[in-house]
Amino acid sequence: MSDARAIGEVILAVESISLAFGGVQALSNISFDVREHEIRAIIGPNGAGKSSMLNVINGVYHPQQGTIHFKGEKRHRMEPHKVASQGVARTFQNIALFKGMSVLDNLMTGRNLMMKTGILSQALYWGATQREELKHRERVEEIIDFLEIQSIRKTPVGRLPYGLQKRVELGRALAAEPTLLLLDEPMAGMNVEEKQDMCRFVLDVNEEFGTTIVLIEHDMGVVMDISDRVVVLDYGKKIGDGVPDEVRSNQAVIDAYLGVQH
Amino acid sequence: MFYRENGQFKTSYAEDQALLSIRQDRWFIWLVLVVAFVVVPLFASEYLFKAILIPFLILALAAIGLNLLVGYCGQISLGTGAFMMVGAYSAYNLAVRVPDLNILLVFVLAGLITTVAGMLFGIPSLRIKGLYLAVATLAAQFFMDWLFSRVKWFTNDSPSGSVTAPAITFFGATWDSPTEKYLLVLAIAVLFALIAKNLVRSNIGRSWMATRDMDVAAEIIGIRPVYAKLSAFAVSSFFVGIAGALWAFVHLGSWEPLAFDINRSFSMIFMVIIGGLGSILGSFLGAAFIVVLPLLLNQVPHWLGIPISTATASHLEFMIFGALIIFFLIVEPHGLARLWAIAKEKLRIWPFPH
Ligand SMILES: Nc1ncnc2c1ncn2[C@@H]1O[C@H](COP(=O)(O)OP(=O)(O)O)[C@@H](O)[C@H]1O
Ligand SMILES: [Mg+2]
């Protein structure tokens, strides 16, 4: 379906990642790669370690073992804000918006790394700061148009319904103009119509901006439809990896989903 | 005249981002400014200046500072009294030891010294939150109480421990009449309110609010927690330090550390909660409330012919504060400012409530 974008070189490679919380082994020896411009899904039952994987990529969790190469360079232990500055943005399974701020301000915050004026200039809100705010406001308005959330731009996000909050959170991540976008269950809890919208946004982002996307999703239909390749996790282990058709016919994956006893 | 934004179409984002994008708000602010700068000085009595307006404005300035930290960045501080104290004694020492220094510069430098102190005591915020942070900032209070009562150098070896500020002179004039003092603190309060407004609608203000609302997400989007928190402590302390210097120089004249004790810290916290966390306007409302309430409690029973002792009045004051704090924390954490916003919202759709 997505012929316009050419899938490129490996942009992210995680190798032999192991992560434990006390006695709980959330991830055991996980390796996979993500190629430029592709949509890479991570699936697996609850508690499989999917969110933990994103948190490792993000720098929120530091794995006990394993390495990460991003854009060809080996990444050392890195804090989340540092990872963000390399062009990684994400959304959360449990929406993590800035509840007291408006939609517009949430999106503007997504661009904080591109804002350079000093505190004195901001205190005066003259010249440089005003120009900078305007410039970024224009970009943010494009995203607002893209996500069709014009009518709520001034609304505090805490007051929005769940589905719209998910959309705004995507907007905040997009505002950062990431090269790698991590989406943690962007369609969870949505009705069919909202899911379709979200699918369309994800595909459009991928096609129009060429953004590489790592997507965690439970809805198999969606996953098989939109992803280029799929990683399957179960109890912290990788049990499958490949194009949707391969994964679908993989016996271990079928067992995991049908709940065969381990 | 209706309070409407109908028909006021914004043709550019610049217009939409302006400080007061609704015309009526703009008029209202200009009206308030004209009254404050022109009408009040013509008619107000000395009592009004000294007992109400001057303390109100200085406390409002301190409340804005505290609100930037607590209301906007979500960090708690129980040490505002201590930082006002740092501002007051820094200004005192600068003014006494370097007599040629312009007094406005003295205030700014006092603010900068307080900034450094505030950042030092803000360091624990990088590790701890909530109650623990509150206790850590309380340490600032005890430390400063000790520092300025025990280390005689800071009080210029004054035998009583009390110090007196030199007269305020600049631009070749002495600003010692109540009207002049009022205009001085008014100008400073307005300037700093504007600065605060600008900061909270810029990148730095958004990084504070993001840290307040969801610190993990803030960091993931690129905000360095160290920078966001320490800059909030820094800016907040700058405001509070200048307010402390003004409180000492303009309002009190002579003072000792007791003037900035823990009660001052608590009363500042009350102010921002009652006025409205995360609101500049609320900082003014809260300060007005705290200044005016005790006076009202003393006066109203008199007017009504009810005998009430000063002690009872001050007990009443505590009870009312207590009840209000609980009310606002539970029912309306955004305080008086939110009530004001609701009133405006109602007015906007009045008389067709749909
Ligand atoms: N911060 C944490 N502390 C302790 N255990 C955690 C933490 N985060 C995840 N886990 C555990 O790691 C395992 C994987 O969780 P998670 O990555 O959230 O799974 P998924 O997203 O696939 O549902 C679970 O057993 C979970 O309880
Ligand atoms: Mg999860």
Side-chain angles (χ1 to χ4, degrees), chain A residues 58 60 79-81 84 88 90 92 95-101 104-105 108-110 112-113 115 119 122-125 129 133-134 137-138 141 154 159 172-173, chain B residues 10 13-14 16-17 21 194-195 198-214 216-225 227 231 235 338:
Chain A
N58 247 158
V60 178
E79 296 306 317
H81 62 86
V88 181
R90 84 174 271 189
F92 293 80
I95 300 169
L97 283 168
F98 308 128
K99 291 235 161 33
M101 300 163 68
L104 193 56
D105 277 346
M108 288 292 277
T109 310
N112 76 88
L113 283 170
M115 302 201 180
I119 187 168
Q122 295 182 47
L124 301 172
Y125 207 88
T129 293
E133 287 285 316
L134 264 182
R137 172 76 187 269
E138 275 160 25
E141 287 291 340
K154 295 283 176 75
R159 287 199 216 152
R172 183 182 65 188
Chain B
K10 288 156 199 144
Y13 296 134
D16 191 46
Q17 282 180 196
S21 63
L194 187 65
I195 289 176
N198 286 341
L199 287 174
V200 300
R201 66 192 173 123
S202 305
N203 194 32
I204 193 164
R206 287 189 298 264
S207 77
W208 294 339
M209 292 184 273
T211 304
R212 169 196 71 190
D213 284 349
M214 190 61 80
V216 178
E219 196 177 352
I220 273 170
I221 209 124
I223 293 167
R224 296 201 329 269
Y227 181 76
S231 65
V235 174
R338 176 84 190 118

Side-chain angles (χ1 to χ4, degrees), chain A:
Chain A
M1 116 200 60
S2 29
D3 310 303
R5 73 214 154 88
I7 291 186
E9 297 294 304
V10 169
I11 184 171
L12 172 79
V14 298
E15 287 137 37
S16 319
I17 297 284
S18 292
L19 172 75
F21 299 101
V24 181
Q25 192 71 31
L27 296 170
S28 324
N29 202 23
I30 305 287
S31 307
F32 66 92
D33 60 28
V34 179
R35 293 176 175 276
E36 230 174 336
H37 309 309
E38 84 173 330
I39 298 184
R40 184 74 148 123
I42 303 180
I43 63 170
N46 270 329
K50 306 180 296 295
S51 298
S52 299
M53 191 65 239
L54 289 199
N55 279 328
V56 167
I57 297 173
N58 247 158
V60 178
Y61 294 161
H62 302 290
Q64 280 85 12
Q65 271 167 42
T67 52
I68 293 180
H69 286 260
F70 185 55
K71 292 182 182 165
E73 272 178 47
K74 182 166 172 195
R75 209 179 79 183
H76 295 278
R77 185 191 166 95
M78 203 178 256
E79 296 306 317
H81 62 86
K82 202 73 210 303
V83 178
S85 70
Q86 296 197 335
V88 181
R90 84 174 271 189
T91 65
F92 293 80
Q93 183 173 352
N94 308 306
I95 300 169
L97 283 168
F98 308 128
K99 291 235 161 33
M101 300 163 68
S102 67
V103 170
L104 193 56
D105 277 346
N106 268 274
L107 267 59
M108 288 292 277
T109 310
R111 298 184 72 76
N112 76 88
L113 283 170
M114 294 167 239
M115 302 201 180
K116 303 283 181 230
T117 61
I119 187 168
L120 280 178
S121 168
Q122 295 182 47
L124 301 172
Y125 207 88
W126 275 338
T129 293
Q130 198 171 17
R131 277 196 302 276
E132 187 175 70
E133 287 285 316
L134 264 182
K135 188 178 90 191
H136 291 291
R137 172 76 187 269
E138 275 160 25
R139 295 289 294 124
V140 161
E141 287 291 340
E142 286 169 25
I143 294 166
I144 287 178
D145 287 343
F146 171 71
L147 294 174
E148 297 156 18
I149 47 176
Q150 297 90 338
S151 60
I152 53 163
R153 57 159 81 76
K154 295 283 176 75
T155 313
V157 293
R159 287 199 216 152
L160 296 174
Y162 178 85
L164 275 181
Q165 290 199 11
K166 283 257 175 198
R167 204 184 282 194
V168 174
E169 204 187 14
L170 174 64
R172 183 182 65 188
L174 291 180
E177 295 180 22
T179 38
L180 177 62
L181 176 61
L182 314 175
L183 304 174
D184 196 344
E185 305 200 12
M187 294 154 215
M190 288 186 161
N191 62 34
V192 177
E193 200 176 324
E194 289 172 326
K195 269 189 191 174
Q196 281 173 350
D197 284 342
M198 189 54 90
C199 262
R200 184 164 49 85
F201 294 137
V202 171
L203 285 173
D204 283 354
V205 167
N206 180 246
E207 279 173 27
E208 283 178 32
F209 312 130
T211 311
T212 308
I213 295 174
V214 175
L215 168 82
I216 297 178
E217 186 45 57
H218 274 303
D219 187 317
M220 275 311 128
V222 169
V223 169
M224 297 302 163
D225 260 8
I226 72 173
S227 46
D228 296 297
R229 288 189 300 157
V230 184
V231 179
V232 193
L233 300 184
D234 189 25
Y235 288 102
K237 298 198 177 66
K238 185 168 102 169
I239 59 169
D241 188 349
V243 298
D245 282 336
E246 272 175 71
V247 166
R248 212 193 321 248
S249 53
N250 177 331
Q251 191 56 43
V253 176
I254 296 170
D255 290 349
Y257 271 89
L258 295 178
V260 169
Q261 290 304 311
H262 291 253

Side-chain angles (χ1 to χ4, degrees), chain B residues 40 44-59 175-183 185 246-247 249-253 291 295:
Chain B
V40 168
S45 66
E46 186 166 333
Y47 173 80
L48 193 61
F49 282 131
K50 283 187 164 169
I52 298 180
L53 293 174
I54 291 174
F56 155 65
L57 288 167
I58 300 173
L59 292 180
W175 296 58
D176 55 0
S177 81
T179 317
E180 288 161 342
K181 287 179 169 176
Y182 162 78
L183 285 173
V185 293
L246 290 174
W247 190 252
F249 276 56
V250 180
H251 181 57
L252 299 174
V291 169
L295 300 173

